[in-house]
Amino acid sequence: MTIDITGLPHERITFCPSPLAELGAALHALAEPAHHPRLHAWTTTTAAALKPELADRLHEADFMWNSTRSDILLPPRPRETLAEELDDLDRMDDEKYVGSALEISCNNKYTHGAPSPLVDERMRRRVLDLAAARGPRQTAFAERMLADPPGTRAWIRRLLEDCDEAFFADTWRRVHVQLAADARHKTELMRRRGLAEAVADASAAMTLEEDAQGSRIVVDKLVQGRTRAQGSAVTFLPTAFGWPHLFALHTPGWQPVIQYPVPARDLGGGASVAEVRLRLEAVAHPMRMRLCRSLARGSSTTSELADAYNITAPEVSRHLAVLKKAGLITTQRRGRYVLHQLDVAVVARLGSDFLESVLR
């Protein structure tokens, strides 16, 4: 996914924490705790302490932060307080607000833009169909939003304010210092060493590309998309609750916003989508899987592997070349022998790298 920033002054590129964006990330973690093993203690404790009435209301509106993240939860101009950001939301017109809140209706049209279900009957039917697949309470919520946008918007604001009172205000006090420090570090890095360094430091899945055609921020995701930041700005929002997700708001008519997880180098290999695909394809072959069994137990030469599996040495070499290209084996020379061994650390990360790439 690319964000064209050609000609955009670096002063228009900001790193700043957002309480609303962090609340959205926290609500997603509560709705999908399996995505966030690092947050197990927080999600378990917080969910257990929720009053049943608040938990029911969160369930009713959870498609705003469950399988996707509504763009209204990624503010382009972060404020100091949640109340200020909710005030900004109140100033958004109904068509734009409802179209974003019910983003489930336009996943396949997101990059090109989709009409609001308030003014387009086809999108309205699509919203109701997709809401129905999520349950009767979600359907009722979508119907209420389409029938009474002002009333439902007020209901959503009260819901977010109640979350703030119940658990998020305390959580925000604890994580805000970390997020603000990360944003200051990225800002200083951009000033001293350039945007490319700051972008790469924010996530190994992001790069800055510059050539004769211009400058682009490239986000390594399975989804495809393009947007332009000319005439607006780009906002980077650090999150303590986001890993493994990397959100990039890029719908037409909206300022680009990227929410990136604060670095946590202890888990995951930070592999690109292409690397994960290459490694999965490498180990999917039954013979290469059998070779990996031997290579995991110790180093072996090509001839030893050929003898063990009753195949020719050239055939072993071809399989080893695939594994080596995928970065799954190491090779060292010992005298006249070349020994191959499985890189157990890389293979052990494959599961978490795969999960991160599909959820990013």
Side-chain angles (χ1 to χ4, degrees), residues 261-272:
V262 170
R265 310 297 185 188
D266 55 321
L267 291 178
S272 69

Side-chain angles (χ1 to χ4, degrees), residues 186 198-207 219 246 260-261 263 265 356 360:
K186 300 294 189 295
V199 166
D201 193 65
S203 172
M206 293 194 297
T207 56
V219 185
L246 180 62
Y260 65 94
R265 310 297 185 188
E356 181 177 358
R360 187 180 295 157

Side-chain angles (χ1 to χ4, degrees), residues 292-336:
C292 284
R293 181 175 184 271
S294 295
L295 296 171
R297 297 184 175 192
S299 55
S300 299
T301 65
T302 301
S303 59
E304 287 173 332
L305 293 170
D307 182 66
Y309 293 102
N310 196 29
I311 58 177
T312 66
E315 187 174 356
V316 171
S317 295
R318 287 194 294 272
H319 286 305
L320 293 178
V322 173
L323 292 170
K324 187 171 183 178
K325 183 178 180 181
L328 296 176
I329 63 171
T330 60
T331 300
Q332 62 175 336
R333 179 172 291 279
R334 187 175 299 164
R336 63 189 183 90

Side-chain angles (χ1 to χ4, degrees), residues 77-95:
R77 289 176 289 280
R79 306 290 190 179
E80 283 294 320
T81 67
L82 178 65
E84 291 174 298
E85 293 186 328
L86 294 177
D87 288 343
D88 287 343
L89 274 187
D90 288 344
R91 288 186 279 271
M92 186 180 293
D93 67 76
D94 283 347
E95 288 185 16

